[in-house]
Amino acid sequence: MTLRWQQAEGRRHALDIDPYTRPRPGEQFRALCGDEVTPQRQDFHELGGKWLDPTCPLCDHVWREIEHFPANEIPAVSP
């Protein structure tokens, strides 16, 4: 499992992706939160975009569970 963050549709989402591939502008991916999101060119900092969108709380929660964070470092998420 290779986890990475990618900004898309107003949030920084996490995804599990093959280590040799990356999301690309206009290509949809399923985030750890379960949402299907499509990043645009401005969502890629290496293409001159800015990472200003807030982190998706559910992606953050799932990431921390996968990475075995201590329970007190995994924030609760509301439904």
Side-chain angles (χ1 to χ4, degrees):
M1 178 174 276
T2 300
L3 300 174
R4 67 170 280 128
W5 289 99
Q6 178 58 57
Q7 186 164 279
E9 298 183 11
R11 297 246 188 227
R12 281 185 56 232
H13 288 280
L15 67 150
D16 177 16
I17 191 167
D18 178 302
Y20 302 105
T21 61
R22 306 183 79 165
R24 291 185 279 194
E27 289 186 358
Q28 188 177 62
F29 67 88
R30 180 179 301 278
L32 292 182
C33 65
D35 288 353
E36 295 277 344
V37 295
T38 305
Q40 302 303 315
R41 183 175 177 82
Q42 67 272 15
D43 292 319
F44 292 83
H45 66 275
E46 62 269 14
L47 298 178
K50 304 275 190 251
W51 284 63
L52 302 174
D53 291 338
T55 299
C56 170
L58 186 51
C59 281
D60 182 54
H61 180 91
V62 173
W63 178 297
R64 290 170 188 252
E65 286 182 332
I66 290 168
E67 294 293 332
H68 306 290
F69 275 59
N72 66 330
E73 293 182 17
I74 301 175
V77 290
S78 43

